[in-house]
Amino acid sequence: MKLPFFLLFLFSIFSHSQNNTSALVVDSADNSPLEFVGVYNSKDHTMTNADGRFQFSSSLDSIIVYSVGYDKLTTTSQKIKDTIYLNKSVLELNEVTVTNEKTLWQKVGDSVRSNYPTYPYKEKFLLRGVLRYNGEITRIQDIQGKLERRTLLYTKEIDPDKKDFKVELTNMRKVGLVKDEKKVYFIFETFYQLFMNFTPINATGDAFDLTESTFENGNKINLSFHTKPEFDNEKVVGYYIINNEDHAIERILIEIDFKNNPYKEDGETRFRTVSVEKEIYLSKSSENNKYHIASAKYDVKVELTDEQNSYTSFYDVSFILTTSDNEGDFDIKKNVSSSKDLFKIKYPYDQSYWNSQNQLLLTDEMLEFIEKVQDPNSEFKVKSNIKN
């Protein structure tokens, strides 16, 4: 039976309503893959993984590919090729050292309430945690869910509280070793700790030297900071990317290196944090003109030894957060504690969801690890909710 032309036309529209795009993003100078590159439009957002790959689905055809330090690429899903080459951008030559940051920073402070939600709101999220032991992956966990925040930013009137985050898990996959060869269990952070670590912070006090540079024809300001030489036990460097029109912070990078950090003891194990790196990208909603965290990354390196210093091992843990439907209108039914070690959370595995999700692709290395670690002959205890 032939369908009427009108129905065929309707089916044609619906079948093409979602644009699915996948590609590899590399540096045009040396072809190296670029991680944590934003791929987005006014409605949807994703990012590249450690292999530089992304998959992006949107009902809109427009796509922006952007990472700080590179020229922004604005294109469409139809024009995207298998490989995207990004060119490094150059800051304009009006770099100045800031001796009194109050002028710029006061403008940022004065615009906080107009730029960011300092009230309760909801969003959906995908959180990935990856643990490495001496460079090798030992744990992977992806969590998808709904989140209600009390606020995005904390002001003088809003103090942090353990009840600031209400979480509903909707999907989870995890696989990894419970303990390492030294019988050490690495404690994952909690939702509360992570979401607090993803909160934008102030690094512009008397302890820092600041430098301003403009780019994108003066539309953006790069406010770089680093600790002064007298702070020799802790080196902090980073930058803020500030929109010069509304004085909103759009991106934050902060790197902390701890020198001679004292060890903490846990039985026979001694450990200390060596370094911390945070990167937060905020995007502006076209509906309410508020900025929300679109994606964020939090990396920590921890050194382990024993009382005799007979060995030195390193753990590297990385958490990546992406959000969507910011300030959306949907119900949240809390089904998990925000103060529980993430790797100890239990939730069933839904293969159909993880086969179709595209917010953050697994890398080739992660796929190999998942296959290897589920070998029944493995000598290490494995915790996983993934069923073959």
Side-chain angles (χ1 to χ4, degrees):
M1 183 180 83
K2 291 186 177 181
L3 290 172
F5 176 77
F6 176 72
L7 287 180
L8 287 172
F9 179 69
L10 264 182
F11 289 156
S12 176
I13 291 176
F14 289 139
S15 64
H16 293 87
S17 62
Q18 201 74 4
N19 296 291
N20 297 306
T21 308
S22 60
L24 169 68
V25 182
V26 301
D27 186 307
S28 62
D30 59 12
N31 288 335
S32 59
L34 297 176
E35 181 186 13
F36 208 55
V37 176
V39 181
Y40 58 95
N41 54 33
S42 60
K43 187 175 181 180
D44 301 288
H45 180 277
T46 189
M47 70 181 74
T48 59
N49 63 14
D51 290 342
R53 297 191 177 278
F54 73 87
Q55 184 175 326
F56 184 61
S57 296
S58 179
S59 58
L60 303 180
D61 189 41
S62 61
I63 296 179
I64 297 173
V65 183
Y66 178 65
S67 180
V68 171
Y70 291 85
D71 292 337
K72 182 183 295 184
L73 173 66
T74 302
T75 183
T76 66
S77 60
Q78 304 300 319
K79 294 180 180 179
I80 290 283
K81 296 184 178 180
D82 292 341
T83 303
I84 298 171
Y85 299 90
L86 292 187
N87 300 316
K88 288 184 178 177
S89 59
V90 179
L91 295 179
E92 296 173 17
L93 299 178
N94 62 342
E95 185 171 290
V96 295
T97 299
V98 182
T99 55
N100 184 348
E101 80 279 10
K102 289 185 178 179
T103 301
L104 173 62
W105 203 247
Q106 187 62 50
K107 291 178 181 178
V108 172
D110 291 344
S111 305
V112 163
R113 293 191 180 279
S114 60
N115 282 327
Y116 310 101
T118 54
Y119 48 77
Y121 71 94
K122 301 172 184 177
E123 63 190 6
K124 296 177 182 177
F125 71 90
L126 176 69
L127 178 68
R128 169 170 293 170
V130 177
L131 182 66
R132 294 177 181 271
Y133 178 67
N134 292 332
E136 298 289 331
I137 292 179
T138 60
R139 191 184 296 174
I140 298 172
Q141 184 172 16
D142 285 341
I143 300 174
Q144 190 246 12
K146 304 174 186 177
L147 169 67
E148 182 173 351
R149 295 176 180 264
R150 178 185 172 203
T151 180
L152 178 64
L153 299 180
Y154 290 87
T155 64
K156 293 180 180 179
E157 297 81 22
I158 307 175
D159 293 323
D161 188 274
K162 293 283 187 179
K163 299 179 181 179
D164 286 353
F165 306 102
K166 178 181 176 182
V167 180
E168 178 186 350
L169 262 63
T170 52
N171 284 286
M172 186 180 79
R173 64 179 169 191
K174 68 175 181 180
V175 58
L177 308 185
V178 177
K179 295 183 179 181
D180 63 25
E181 59 187 15
K182 303 293 183 181
K183 308 301 181 184
V184 173
Y185 172 79
F186 189 93
I187 301 173
F188 259 9
E189 300 206 1
T190 67
F191 279 120
Y192 175 79
Q193 291 169 327
L194 273 176
F195 291 140
M196 288 301 298
N197 277 317
F198 287 138
T199 300
I201 57 175
N202 184 352
T204 60
D206 294 336
F208 298 92
D209 286 326
L210 305 171
T211 304
E212 285 183 28
S213 305
T214 60
F215 60 106
E216 287 193 11
N217 297 321
N219 293 327
K220 310 284 184 183
I221 298 175
N222 182 313
L223 180 61
S224 301
F225 55 84
H226 61 86
T227 45
K228 294 178 178 179
E230 56 264 33
F231 291 86
D232 54 357
N233 290 328
E234 187 176 301
K235 180 182 178 182
V236 183
V237 300
Y239 60 74
Y240 295 96
I241 302 298
I242 299 171
N243 187 309
N244 212 12
E245 290 187 6
D246 55 18
H247 303 108
I249 298 171
E250 296 185 340
R251 194 137 185 169
I252 304 168
L253 174 69
I254 181 168
E255 300 173 353
I256 307 172
D257 288 324
F258 298 98
K259 300 179 180 179
N260 303 316
N261 205 15
Y263 285 104
K264 296 180 181 179
E265 296 187 3
D266 183 7
E268 297 181 357
T269 303
R270 304 169 70 217
F271 63 95
R272 62 182 176 183
T273 301
V274 176
S275 63
V276 175
E277 180 176 333
K278 302 180 186 181
E279 188 170 5
I280 303 170
Y281 170 68
L282 300 107
S283 63
K284 189 175 185 178
S285 168
S286 58
E287 295 182 3
N288 60 12
N289 290 324
K290 297 286 187 180
Y291 285 83
H292 305 85
I293 294 176
S295 55
K297 188 177 182 183
Y298 175 62
D299 297 330
V300 180
K301 179 182 284 290
V302 178
E303 178 185 353
L304 282 82
T305 187
D306 58 12
E307 295 175 329
Q308 294 77 36
N309 293 327
S310 64
Y311 72 93
T312 300
S313 295
F314 291 95
Y315 271 112
D316 293 274
V317 60
S318 176
F319 289 99
I320 293 178
L321 173 74
T322 69
T323 73
S324 61
D325 291 346
N326 308 102
E327 300 202 40
D329 182 17
F330 47 83
D331 293 331
I332 293 183
K333 299 178 181 179
K334 180 180 176 181
N335 59 4
V336 65
S337 170
S338 62
S339 59
K340 186 172 184 176
D341 176 340
L342 291 179
F343 198 64
K344 292 185 176 180
I345 292 174
K346 296 180 180 180
Y347 198 84
Y349 176 70
D350 181 353
Q351 184 175 357
S352 62
Y353 169 78
W354 293 110
N355 285 346
S356 63
Q357 80 84 23
N358 69 325
Q359 284 180 277
L360 190 58
L361 300 178
L362 290 169
T363 65
D364 292 340
E365 182 188 18
M366 292 175 187
L367 291 170
E368 291 173 4
F369 167 75
I370 292 173
E371 182 177 356
K372 179 182 69 175
V373 81
Q374 297 197 90
D375 184 342
N377 298 319
S378 174
E379 60 180 304
F380 295 102
K381 183 179 179 181
V382 176
K383 186 179 288 293
S384 174
N385 73 335
I386 300 177
K387 307 299 182 183
N388 289 325

